[in-house]
Amino acid sequence: MTRYDAIVIGGGLVGSAIAYGLAREGLRVTLIDEGDVAYRASRGNFGLVWVQSKGDGAPHYQRWTRRSADEWPTLAAELSARTGISVGHQRPGGVHLCLGEAELGERRARMERMRIQSVNFGFEYRMLDRRELADMLPGLGPSVIGASWTPYDGHANPLNLLHAPHKAFVEKGGRYVPNTTVGDGQPAPRDFRIAIGDGEIGAPKVVLAAGLGNAGFGPAVRAEGLSAPVEPQRGQILVTERAQRVLPMPTTTVRQTVEGGIMLGDSQEDVGFDTGQEPAVMQTIARRAVLSFPWLRDLQIVRGWAALRVMPPDGLPIYDQSASFPGAFTANCHSGVTLAAAHANRLAPMIAAGALDPALELFSARRFDVPAAA
Ligand SMILES: Cc1cc2nc3c(=O)[nH]c(=O)nc-3n(C[C@H](O)[C@H](O)[C@H](O)COP(=O)(O)OP(=O)(O)OC[C@H]3O[C@@H](n4cnc5c(N)ncnc54)[C@H](O)[C@@H]3O)c2cc1C
């Protein structure tokens, strides 16, 4: 049996960021990934590094998200220097467009709540009126009456973000095992064994980072006490042909990529494990985008897809270490682009050290163990 310091199961954005972070800490790591049969949110997302709407009612999530966004420039530069791959990160701030008074009122209330909840950490935002917004975003549609803005938001190329940590991980000596499904294994405290191919590997640490696959592991791999009650939530995205550079910053549902294509998205649909596209939803996405920027009507849609988010019941990440099998960790979230820096720079060092910071206690899945009312 070959032994490692850690085994990471799942090579999406979450697993690869953690695996890279562990390898950078000097650990000998194996990263196992199922491959094309799996649901892979990391290959179908919108690419926002988004802060402004994250953590209403959960200030710990607001702080975790913002810290990740703050560390993104360093991570992007480091990945580019190590691998030569640009993850296309830009942080020009971002806006959430409001179409109508009801949306604007709701947004204003939400942003102010978040400012109050942030207490000393602070939360800088502004509500922009139409005139101010029209100066920032050319060709704004008449239906847009205002927006919320924060300086914290940005975007990146999500496929390069997936590629770069993989490459950096392997260059740091990590072993990547693709096209391999982990079903079950043998856990013992600080001694986990997993069969891959015709051999077995073992490590004192295992990280379950298999996205939607985290909910389906056998009880032995999941290790008692590590629950990941994540559910699929479908999102559909459309991409236009390349256009001259028009949009200086991303909005929640329309952003221009570095290459010039404009991404339109993205729906939030509760349809189980259905990854099909639906014309009615695509029409709604396109209609809202054209109301926001009427000039989009003249661009051809060249691509579209649907993918499944990894959604915890309350939308907040789940991070845990098993109490009965110390050394077994789990990481799940629905914002793996935004949180990539937190996962590589903060979570991975904690896992390497063998204990999650008490500040992450609020992200434990134990928060769902609320006894039913009598
Ligand atoms: C439409 C859409 C838009 C999004 N937009 C954004 C956005 O703008 N910004 C943002 O921050 N986030 C966004 N997200 C979310 C982001 O993509 C996810 O949070 C992130 O990709 C989750 O990564 P993951 O590694 O947990 O899961 P996945 O990408 O699903 O990866 C899980 C991996 O685990 C592997 N696996 C599964 N089971 C096993 C097994 N048994 N054995 C071995 N390997 C296994 C699979 O092969 C897969 O590669 C979006 C998601 C969607 C769907």
Side-chain angles (χ1 to χ4, degrees), residues 39 232 234 271-278 306-308:
Y39 297 102
R234 189 170 72 184
V271 292
F273 284 88
D274 179 354
T275 54
Q277 291 173 268
E278 241 176 63
L308 300 179

Side-chain angles (χ1 to χ4, degrees), residues 247-369:
L247 293 177
M249 63 174 61
T251 80
T252 330
T253 54
V254 178
R255 76 174 190 96
Q256 187 163 26
T257 66
V258 174
E259 296 77 22
I262 311 229
M263 293 181 73
L264 318 176
D266 54 350
S267 53
Q268 298 176 1
E269 303 161 68
D270 189 6
V271 292
F273 284 88
D274 179 354
T275 54
Q277 291 173 268
E278 241 176 63
V281 176
M282 292 192 276
Q283 268 169 17
T284 305
I285 291 172
R287 196 173 300 124
R288 185 173 173 105
V290 168
L291 284 174
S292 303
F293 300 104
W295 46 265
L296 280 171
R297 192 182 288 125
D298 300 326
L299 295 177
Q300 295 288 330
I301 299 291
V302 293
R303 264 187 328 134
W305 64 81
L308 300 179
R309 292 187 188 82
V310 181
M311 193 56 81
D314 57 2
L316 272 57
I318 300 171
Y319 307 118
D320 260 327
Q321 173 168 208
S322 167
S324 41
F325 292 97
F329 296 84
T330 187
N332 315 264
C333 75
H334 89 288
S335 280
V337 180
T338 308
L339 294 177
H343 293 157
N345 293 355
R346 289 177 178 259
L347 184 61
M350 293 179 206
I351 293 172
L356 298 184
D357 192 295
L360 292 196
E361 175 64 24
L362 289 167
F363 290 115
S364 164
R366 286 187 295 282
R367 68 185 185 267
F368 304 121
D369 299 340

Side-chain angles (χ1 to χ4, degrees), residues 159-208:
L159 292 182
N160 283 4
L161 175 64
L162 185 58
H163 187 191
H166 271 257
K167 192 168 175 202
F169 166 71
V170 171
E171 279 171 8
K172 275 268 155 204
R175 178 183 173 205
Y176 175 51
V177 183
N179 304 316
T180 300
T181 306
V182 175
D184 221 341
Q186 291 175 28
R190 299 196 171 80
D191 183 11
F192 300 89
R193 294 167 190 214
I194 287 170
I196 52 167
D198 50 7
E200 193 182 42
I201 58 173
K205 293 192 172 79
V206 64
V207 183
L208 311 185

Side-chain angles (χ1 to χ4, degrees), residues 9-276:
I9 306 175
L13 284 174
V14 174
S16 62
I18 294 172
Y20 167 60
L22 291 175
R24 197 182 48 191
E25 292 290 305
L27 273 65
R28 291 184 62 235
V29 184
T30 290
L31 173 62
I32 307 172
D33 192 54
E34 184 171 25
D36 286 340
V37 292
Y39 297 102
R40 293 160 132 182
S42 305
R43 287 164 197 258
N45 66 68
F46 198 58
L48 292 176
V49 179
W50 206 248
V51 175
Q52 64 168 279
S53 44
K54 308 271 176 66
D56 181 15
H60 56 294
Y61 182 37
Q62 191 188 132
R63 287 194 292 276
W64 182 244
T65 300
R66 175 114 64 82
R67 288 199 174 114
S68 189
D70 287 347
E71 289 180 20
W72 242 97
T74 316
L75 179 70
E78 180 184 314
L79 289 172
S80 164
R82 282 190 198 278
T83 65
I85 299 169
S86 164
V87 295
H89 179 242
Q90 297 175 338
R91 199 189 196 191
V95 289
H96 176 87
L97 305 179
C98 299
L99 279 60
E101 288 297 342
E103 282 186 22
L104 189 64
E106 235 171 74
R107 193 67 181 178
R108 180 179 288 115
R110 180 186 185 119
M111 300 302 274
E112 186 53 16
R113 268 196 314 270
M114 289 186 60
R115 187 191 66 75
I116 292 166
Q117 290 162 10
S118 73
V119 200
N120 292 341
F121 192 62
F123 181 69
E124 186 185 345
Y125 82 94
R126 284 180 53 214
M127 297 304 296
L128 306 174
D129 63 22
R130 193 191 144 72
R131 194 179 36 83
E132 216 175 344
L133 196 58
D135 285 343
M136 290 161 67
L137 299 174
L140 197 67
S143 314
V144 182
I145 62 163
S148 59
W149 167 90
T150 78
Y152 311 122
D153 304 307
H155 53 159
N157 178 323
L159 292 182
N160 283 4
L161 175 64
L162 185 58
H163 187 191
H166 271 257
K167 192 168 175 202
F169 166 71
V170 171
E171 279 171 8
K172 275 268 155 204
R175 178 183 173 205
Y176 175 51
V177 183
N179 304 316
T180 300
T181 306
V182 175
D184 221 341
Q186 291 175 28
R190 299 196 171 80
D191 183 11
F192 300 89
R193 294 167 190 214
I194 287 170
I196 52 167
D198 50 7
E200 193 182 42
I201 58 173
K205 293 192 172 79
V206 64
V207 183
L208 311 185
L212 290 168
N214 266 357
F217 284 122
V221 162
R222 203 154 11 93
E224 201 176 323
L226 274 190
S227 94
V230 288
E231 297 278 350
Q233 184 197 64
R234 189 170 72 184
Q236 297 185 54
I237 291 175
L238 304 172
V239 187
T240 73
E241 64 185 304
R242 292 180 183 188
Q244 65 179 25
R245 183 132 297 281
V246 205
L247 293 177
M249 63 174 61
T251 80
T252 330
T253 54
V254 178
R255 76 174 190 96
Q256 187 163 26
T257 66
V258 174
E259 296 77 22
I262 311 229
M263 293 181 73
L264 318 176
D266 54 350
S267 53
Q268 298 176 1
E269 303 161 68
D270 189 6
V271 292
F273 284 88
D274 179 354
T275 54

